[in-house]
């Protein structure tokens, strides 16, 4: 059977349940996912020589990490050949590309330092998102603090970095013709019981106020703040906690960013979306896969991801900035990147293929019996046939084919890198 024949067969089976598969394919294709640039080089970046800091960690020693802008771009291009649909690329300030001999510190970064990325994105029709980088820098120490630091020189340095990042984000939006999400995440926290929790939070609030006092085009740049439970070495308190940022964002009219790895392991992140959206028009996401902690494993096509995608689709995907945030250094990075991205896309398509209206009506009718059975029935529908067809019609390799091609790339390109 050809992929097309398998699709026609599956389409009839979904149609019998009142589900229009053609519509699902079209809807899914409209949703943009922001692919993080940092899976390709273990979050190292190009502007500093030091290690990854900030209480986050990549683990593993798989060879062939991209070490230059050219290699990273080459790898991104390879990954994009496996991802159906048109998406965005998510950059960190630490991925600035300097011309020969030039270097500026983070507080002096300018749009021109991202020109190579702009050219890259424009050529491929990609949107761009941006993140100021408040870690992996001599002035960034999680316990000492960045935007919440009591040392005014350090704090002002990072405020200038935030302002510089706003201008860069605006440039990225102008150049690509697509809105840019600028997400602020800082590592600030305490390893042990702090002597005080209030002052650092008050300083963080003031720092954000100073950054946001810079005029920027609100129709082009959406600013988000990302909360967290804890980081490595700062286990006892996180200055930018969920309560801090949820209130801050509400007050200032900016976005909350929910990272699926930044809550207690038994918290159901998917459940948060419908609540948040009743009070916000837009919400940003970092999709990761925490294993016991914020471990940033590659996202899999599992219940958590399907539940998240289902809530995105049911509440209206146009309200979301969906970004990926995982970094595994123990496996081939092209395959890590690809699996995570494809799984997000898969989960969105899966959610579009659910009888969402019917399930909502059953909920209102208190028919919990049928909800359970219908949910279980959906799990054995021929979803794989629809997914393969979706890949084929978007010109990317289907599920059984991309991995061999990826291994060929390792042999032909990655393994030849010095
Ligand atoms: C860290 C946050 C943050 C980073 C990236 C690299 O816990 O999730 O989003 O992972 O900015
Ligand atoms: Zn994140």
């Amino acid at each position: 059977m050809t992929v097309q024949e398998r699709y026609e067969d599956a389409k009839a089976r979904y149609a019998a349940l009142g589900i229009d598969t053609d519509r699902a394919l079209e809807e899914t294709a409209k949703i943009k996912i922001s692919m993080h640039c940092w899976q390709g080089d273990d979050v190292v970046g190009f502007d500093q020589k030091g290690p990854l800091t900030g209480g986050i960690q990549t683990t593993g020693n798989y060879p062939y990490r991209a070490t230059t802008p050219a290699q990273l771009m080459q790898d991104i291009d390879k990954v994009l050949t496996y991802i159906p649909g048109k998406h965005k690329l998510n950059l960190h300030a630490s991925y600035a590309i300097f011309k020969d001999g030039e270097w500026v510190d983070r507080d002096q970064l300018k749009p021109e330092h991202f020109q190579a990325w702009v050219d890259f994105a424009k050529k491929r029709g990609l949107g761009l998102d941006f993140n100021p980088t408040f870690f992996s820098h001599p002035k960034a120490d999680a316990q000492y603090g960045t935007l919440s630091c009591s040392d005014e020189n350090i704090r002002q340095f990072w405020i200038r970095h935030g302002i510089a990042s706003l201008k860069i984000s605006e440039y990225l939006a102008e150049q690509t013709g697509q809105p840019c999400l600028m997400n602020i995440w800082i590592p600030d926290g305490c390893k042990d019981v702090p002597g005080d929790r209030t002052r650092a939070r008050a300083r963080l609030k003031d720092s954000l106020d100073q950054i946001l006092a810079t005029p920027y085009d609100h129709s082009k740049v959406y600013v988000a703040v990302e909360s967290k439970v804890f980081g490595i070495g700062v286990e006892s308190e996180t200055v930018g906690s969920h309560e801090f940022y949820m209130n801050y964002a509400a007050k200032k009219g900016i976005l909350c960013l929910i990272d699926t790895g930044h809550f207690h392991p038994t918290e159901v992140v998917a459940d948060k979306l419908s609540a948040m959206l009743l009070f916000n028009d837009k919400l940003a996401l970092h999709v990761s896969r925490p294993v016991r902690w914020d471990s940033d494993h590659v996202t899999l096509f599992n219940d958590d991801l399907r539940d998240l995608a289902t809530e995105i689709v049911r509440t209206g995907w146009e309200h979301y900035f969906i970004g990926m945030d995982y970094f595994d250094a123990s496996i081939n990075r092209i395959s890590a990147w690809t699996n995570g991205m494809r799984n997000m896309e898969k989960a969105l398509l899966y959610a579009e293929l659910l009888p969402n209206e019917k399930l909502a009506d059953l909920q209102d009718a208190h028919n919990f019996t049928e909800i359970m059975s219908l949910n279980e029935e959906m799990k054995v529908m021929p979803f794989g046939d629809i997914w393969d067809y979706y890949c084929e019609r978007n010109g990317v390799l289907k599920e059984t084919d991309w991995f061999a091609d990826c291994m060929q790339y390792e042999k032909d390109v990655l393994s030849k890198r010095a």
Side-chain angles (χ1 to χ4, degrees), residues 35 37 69-78 80 88-89 91 97 114-128 176:
M35 184 168 102
C37 72
Q71 288 178 356
L72 190 61
M73 287 178 183
Q74 186 183 30
D75 290 352
I76 290 170
D77 265 336
K78 190 67 204 176
L80 290 176
K88 296 176 92 179
L89 184 64
L91 299 173
I97 298 175
F114 295 87
Q115 191 57 47
W117 287 114
V118 167
D119 296 341
F120 179 87
K122 274 172 136 176
K123 231 185 193 158
R124 290 151 183 81
L126 300 166
L128 287 172
T176 59

Side-chain angles (χ1 to χ4, degrees), residues 82-121:
Y82 301 137
I83 316 300
K86 274 261 168 261
H87 299 286
K88 296 176 92 179
L89 184 64
N90 202 1
L91 299 173
H92 243 288
S94 52
Y95 289 78
I97 298 175
F98 300 110
K99 297 220 175 76
D100 297 328
E102 192 204 1
W103 178 84
V104 299
D105 211 342
R106 298 231 177 118
D107 64 332
Q108 301 300 320
L109 284 170
K110 301 229 153 41
E112 65 199 59
H113 301 122
F114 295 87
Q115 191 57 47
W117 287 114
V118 167
D119 296 341
F120 179 87

Side-chain angles (χ1 to χ4, degrees), residues 38 43 56 92 135 185 226 228 259 262 286 294 325 327:
W38 51 91
V43 209
I56 53 176
H92 243 288
F135 52 88
W185 172 73
E226 178 182 8
K228 189 164 179 171
D259 183 309
H262 290 192
H286 266 183
D294 181 30
D325 187 12
F327 26 91

Side-chain angles (χ1 to χ4, degrees), residues 22 125 253 280 321 335:
D22 289 334
N280 295 277
F321 285 93
S335 96

